[in-house]
Amino acid sequence: MRILKAKFCFTIFILFTYSTLFAQDIELAKKEALKLSNEATILMHDEKYEKSLVKSRIALDKAIKTNDDQLIARCYNIIAANFDGIAEVDKAYFYYKKGLLYADRTNDDELKNWLYNNLGNIYCFDKKEYSTGIDYYKKSLAYSNKIADNEQLVFTNLNIAWAYFDIGNFSKGLPYLQYINKYHQKYGDQTTVVALNMLNGMYCSYNNENAKAQKFFERAILIGKSEEDKSDLSFSYQEYSRFLLKTGEYKKAYENLAKYNMLVVEINNEEKAKKVNIEGINLELDEYKREIDNIESKYKTSEELHMEKQSRNKQISIVIISVLLFIIIMLYFFYQNMRLKEKNKFKDIQTKIQENIYNASINGQEIERKKIASFLHDDISALLSSAGLHLSVFQAKNKSTSEEIIKTKQILKEAHDKVRDLSHQLIPSLLARFGLYFTLKDLCEKNSNSTIHFQYSSSVEDKTRYDEDFEMKIYFVITELFNNITKHSKATLAQINIEEKEDQLIIHIQDNGTGFNTDIYNSNDGFGLNQIRARINNIKGKIKINSNEKEGTKIKLKIPILSKT
C-alpha cells in the first residue's frame, strides 16, 4: 500500500510540474507576442511596412499558440493596418474582418472600436458602400461612448458626417457635424482641422451660405498647405472647385480642380512607392505545393520501408515460409491501396491547383477591368472635363464664337462620352447603380436581335441587391454563357429564369439550338465551360449541363448567396 501511495504521489507531482511548466511557456509566448506586436506597430507608424508585416506575422503565430483571442485580434488589426497603409484594400479588409471575429469574443471594447472604425473607412472611402460603412461607424461610436473615449468620439462623428455629406444627405449628417463643432476644440486634434473646415464649407454651400462656405474652404486649404496634409487637402480642393463651379467662378474652379488632380497623382505615386518592397505571394498555391511535396516525400518513405520489410521477410522466409507469404500478400495489397489513395489525392490537389489558376486568372482579369474602368472614369474623364471647362472659361472670357473652339468642345465631349462608354463596357454602370437583376434584363434586351430572342424572367424583385463582387461574378458567368449561345448554338430563342430558394440563387438558362455532346465537352472543352465551372466553384456553387445534339441545351446554376443588402 505504501508503495502504491508513493507512486500515486509521484504521478501527481509529475502532472503538477508539467502543468506549471506549460503555463509558464504560454505566459512567455504571450509576452513575446505582445512585444513583437508593439514593435510591429512602431514600424508601421514609421511606414516600414515590410518589416512590420514580418514581425506582426511572427507575433500572430505565437498568439495563436497561446489561444488568446485578444492578442490574436490585435495582431490581425496590425496586419490589416499595414495593408491599409500601402493601399492594399482587399487584404486590409480581409484581416480587419478576421480581427473582428476574434475581438468579438473578448471584452476589449477599445479594440472593437478600432476595428469597426477601420472597416467603416474601407466601406465608405474605398468600396463606396456608404450604407454599410455608416453602420460600422455607428457601432464604433457605441463602443467609444461605452469606454468614454472623447477623442475617438470626435473622430468617428467626423467620419459619419463626411460619409453622409458624400452621398448628399446633409440633413442626416448635420447632427454629427454640430457635435464636432461643439467638442473639437476640447477633444479634437490638428489632424482633423482641415477636414472639419471642409465639411463646414460643404454644409454652408448646400445651405446657400456662400460667403461662409468660401471662408471655410479657404481656411481648410490654408491649414492643409501648412500641415502638408495631402489627402484632406486634395479633398478640400475638389469640394472647393465644385462650390466655385456652382457660384459661376469657372476659372478658379478649374485652377482648384487642377490642384486636386495634381495632388491625387502625387498621392498615388507615394502609394506606389510604399508598395515597391512588398512582394505579393500567392499563399494558397504555395500551400498546395507544400502539400504535394509532403505527399511525394511520404510516398517515397513508404516505398523504402516496404523494400526493407520485404528484404527482412525474405530472410525469415526460410524459417516460416507460410507466415511470410501471408504477410507479403497482405502488405502488397495494403501498399497498393495506399499508393492508389496517394495517387488520387495527388490528382485531386493538381485539379484543385488548376482550378485555382483558372480563378486567379479570372480574378486578375476582373481586377484589371476595375482598375482600367476606374482610371478611365476618375482620371481620363476628369482631364477631359477639365479641358472642356477651360475652353468654356476662355470662350466666356473672350466672348468668342470661333468655329474651331466650338468644334474642339464637341470633340472633347465626344471623347468624354466614348471614355465613359468604354468604362461602362468594362464594368457596367447599371450593375453598380441598380444591381444584378436590372443589368441582366438589360443584357437580354441588348443580345436580342432579328436572329435570336433572349427572354428574361425572375421571381426575385428587380431592386434586390447583393455584395458587389458577388453580383459581378454572376454577371460575367451569365455573359459568358450568353456569348456561347450566340456564337455556337444557332438558337432562335434563349431563356433565363432566376429564383431564390433557401439562401441560394437558382439560375436556369436554356436554348432551342443545335446542342452538343457533353461527353466530348468534358474531355475537350471548346466552349470555355471549364473556366465557367471554375468560376462557379470559386463561389461555392454548382453547375449542371444537359444537352444533346439537335435538342438544345439546359444549364442550371445553384449558387449560395454570399451576402444580401
Side-chain angles (χ1 to χ4, degrees):
M1 285 294 290
R2 287 181 181 177
I3 293 171
L4 289 173
K5 190 173 181 180
K7 285 183 177 180
F8 177 77
C9 292
F10 180 75
T11 304
I12 294 296
F13 173 77
I14 293 296
L15 289 172
F16 175 78
T17 304
Y18 178 78
S19 62
T20 302
L21 291 171
F22 180 77
Q24 288 175 350
D25 288 342
I26 292 292
E27 194 61 34
L28 182 61
K30 282 184 181 180
K31 288 180 180 178
E32 289 176 351
L34 187 61
K35 179 176 177 291
L36 285 166
S37 66
N38 288 334
E39 291 172 358
T41 302
I42 293 168
L43 288 167
M44 180 188 67
H45 288 316
D46 292 337
E47 297 187 355
K48 297 176 181 178
Y49 298 108
E50 187 177 16
K51 291 181 179 180
S52 179
L53 278 170
V54 171
K55 281 193 179 288
S56 55
R57 282 174 178 169
I58 297 170
L60 178 63
D61 182 57
K62 292 183 179 296
I64 289 171
K65 288 177 182 177
T66 66
N67 203 28
D68 187 326
D69 290 333
Q70 184 182 21
L71 200 51
I72 294 169
R74 177 187 170 93
C75 292
Y76 276 128
N77 185 54
I78 297 167
I79 292 170
N82 272 290
F83 284 120
D84 219 350
I86 57 172
E88 290 282 355
V89 177
D90 290 336
K91 291 179 182 178
Y93 170 78
F94 174 79
Y95 287 111
Y96 280 138
K97 292 288 281 187
K98 290 278 284 184
L100 189 58
L101 182 70
Y102 284 93
D104 280 339
R105 301 175 188 170
T106 72
N107 296 320
D108 192 341
D109 294 329
E110 185 180 20
L111 183 57
K112 294 175 192 176
N113 181 16
W114 294 343
L115 287 161
Y116 275 115
N117 186 77
N118 291 337
L119 283 165
N121 289 338
I122 286 179
Y123 274 109
C124 285
F125 296 108
D126 295 302
K127 291 177 174 285
K128 301 299 180 184
E129 295 176 24
Y130 289 96
S131 178
T132 306
I134 289 168
D135 286 341
Y136 274 96
Y137 279 145
K138 287 180 178 178
K139 288 177 182 177
S140 171
L141 205 61
Y143 283 113
S144 296
N145 276 310
K146 190 175 179 181
I147 61 177
D149 187 343
N150 293 312
E151 290 81 4
Q152 188 65 26
L153 279 168
V154 169
F155 189 74
T156 307
N157 272 280
L158 186 141
N159 282 337
I160 296 173
W162 196 338
Y164 274 126
F165 285 9
D166 256 5
I167 57 176
N169 200 334
F170 289 89
S171 58
K172 284 192 175 180
L174 178 59
Y176 300 96
L177 179 61
Q178 289 172 335
Y179 180 94
I180 311 160
N181 285 330
K182 184 177 179 181
Y183 293 106
H184 188 274
Q185 188 172 358
K186 187 174 182 180
Y187 299 116
D189 60 37
Q190 193 64 24
T191 61
T192 54
V193 173
V194 176
L196 177 57
N197 278 283
M198 181 194 71
L199 292 176
N200 277 298
M202 290 171 71
Y203 184 76
C204 289
S205 174
Y206 161 77
N207 220 26
N208 292 321
E209 296 175 272
N210 293 341
K212 286 186 178 180
Q214 179 98 13
K215 288 180 180 178
F216 278 119
F217 282 127
E218 288 177 351
R219 191 183 305 156
I221 291 169
L222 183 65
I223 296 169
K225 285 180 178 179
S226 64
E227 296 292 331
E228 294 185 350
D229 186 351
K230 290 184 181 179
S231 179
D232 287 351
L233 179 59
S234 70
F235 288 121
S236 298
Y237 278 129
Q238 185 184 39
E239 294 300 333
Y240 189 34
S241 70
R242 289 173 180 169
F243 165 77
L244 291 168
L245 190 63
K246 172 189 166 186
T247 57
E249 295 183 65
Y250 299 110
K251 184 177 180 181
K252 287 183 71 176
Y254 168 75
E255 289 171 354
N256 280 275
L257 185 61
K259 290 175 182 177
Y260 162 73
N261 288 329
M262 185 175 67
L263 271 178
V264 167
V265 170
E266 288 181 17
I267 291 167
N268 288 338
N269 288 337
E270 287 174 4
E271 287 177 353
K272 288 176 184 177
K274 290 176 185 177
K275 294 180 185 178
V276 168
N277 294 322
I278 307 294
E279 296 180 356
I281 302 171
N282 193 328
L283 297 176
E284 190 175 6
L285 287 180
D286 282 353
E287 187 61 38
Y288 285 135
K289 184 178 182 301
R290 281 194 289 271
E291 191 168 354
I292 290 170
D293 290 341
N294 289 337
I295 290 169
E296 290 174 345
S297 175
K298 185 178 178 182
Y299 173 82
K300 288 177 182 178
T301 303
S302 299
E303 191 173 34
E304 288 168 2
L305 288 171
H306 177 67
M307 293 294 290
E308 289 175 6
K309 187 173 284 187
Q310 206 172 35
S311 176
R312 209 162 38 248
N313 287 338
K314 284 180 181 179
Q315 294 174 3
I316 301 171
S317 64
I318 300 171
V319 183
I320 43 172
I321 191 167
S322 57
V323 176
L324 179 62
L325 286 172
F326 176 77
I327 292 172
I328 290 172
I329 291 168
M330 291 300 293
L331 285 173
Y332 175 78
F333 281 112
F334 174 77
Y335 169 74
Q336 290 296 327
N337 186 46
M338 287 296 294
R339 186 177 180 181
L340 183 62
K341 285 181 179 179
E342 296 289 350
K343 282 183 177 180
N344 288 337
K345 192 173 181 181
F346 183 87
K347 188 177 179 180
D348 288 342
I349 291 172
Q350 284 185 319
T351 303
K352 199 169 183 181
I353 288 175
Q354 188 63 38
E355 189 173 287
N356 273 274
I357 291 170
Y358 271 137
N359 286 325
S361 175
I362 290 163
N363 290 337
Q365 290 173 9
E366 291 177 0
I367 289 168
E368 286 305 312
R369 277 173 175 265
K370 283 184 179 180
K371 284 182 179 178
I372 295 169
S374 176
F375 174 75
L376 290 172
H377 185 273
D378 296 342
D379 293 343
I380 304 301
S381 182
L383 289 173
L384 291 171
S385 295
S386 297
L389 179 62
H390 184 70
L391 279 175
S392 295
V393 172
F394 177 83
Q395 193 176 20
K397 185 176 179 181
N398 294 280
K399 297 182 180 179
S400 173
T401 57
S402 168
E403 185 179 352
E404 285 79 9
I405 291 179
I406 292 169
K407 284 184 177 179
T408 302
K409 286 178 69 177
Q410 290 174 347
I411 291 167
L412 284 172
K413 184 179 183 302
E414 185 179 351
H416 178 273
D417 291 342
K418 286 184 177 180
V419 167
R420 181 196 61 199
D421 291 341
L422 179 56
S423 172
H424 292 172
Q425 285 175 13
L426 291 168
I427 301 294
S429 62
L430 200 63
L431 184 65
R433 292 178 62 190
F434 298 107
L436 181 65
Y437 294 98
F438 279 106
T439 311
L440 291 180
K441 189 181 291 185
D442 182 69
L443 187 66
C444 286
E445 291 176 3
K446 285 181 178 177
N447 279 273
S448 295
N449 52 48
S450 59
T451 304
I452 183 170
H453 175 67
F454 283 83
Q455 184 177 315
Y456 170 88
S457 64
S458 172
S459 61
V460 187
E461 289 185 6
D462 288 348
K463 64 182 180 180
T464 303
R465 295 303 305 268
Y466 307 103
D467 177 80
E468 181 185 0
D469 285 340
F470 178 75
E471 287 186 344
M472 190 181 301
K473 290 180 188 298
I474 297 297
Y475 171 78
F476 283 127
V477 166
I478 294 174
T479 302
E480 197 64 31
L481 290 171
F482 277 16
N483 287 340
N484 281 346
I485 292 171
T486 304
K487 290 178 183 178
H488 307 294
S489 72
K490 298 180 182 178
T492 59
L493 177 65
Q495 296 171 302
I496 178 171
N497 175 263
I498 308 175
E499 59 180 339
E500 278 188 12
K501 189 182 290 183
E502 298 176 351
D503 293 329
Q504 290 192 325
L505 209 60
I506 312 297
I507 303 172
H508 297 274
I509 300 174
Q510 64 181 57
D511 64 71
N512 64 352
T514 56
F516 60 94
N517 189 329
T518 54
D519 293 332
I520 296 174
Y521 129 74
N522 282 325
S523 60
N524 184 19
D525 179 20
F527 305 125
L529 290 172
N530 283 336
Q531 292 194 27
I532 293 172
R533 188 181 293 276
R535 282 179 182 265
I536 296 299
N537 289 341
N538 191 36
I539 52 178
K540 313 298 182 186
K542 294 180 181 178
I543 181 171
K544 185 178 180 181
I545 302 171
N546 289 323
S547 183
N548 291 304
E549 294 181 6
K550 300 181 180 179
E551 291 182 12
T553 303
K554 293 181 180 179
I555 297 175
K556 180 181 179 181
L557 306 176
K558 194 173 182 182
I559 304 161
I561 298 171
L562 301 181
S563 60
K564 190 171 180 179
T565 57

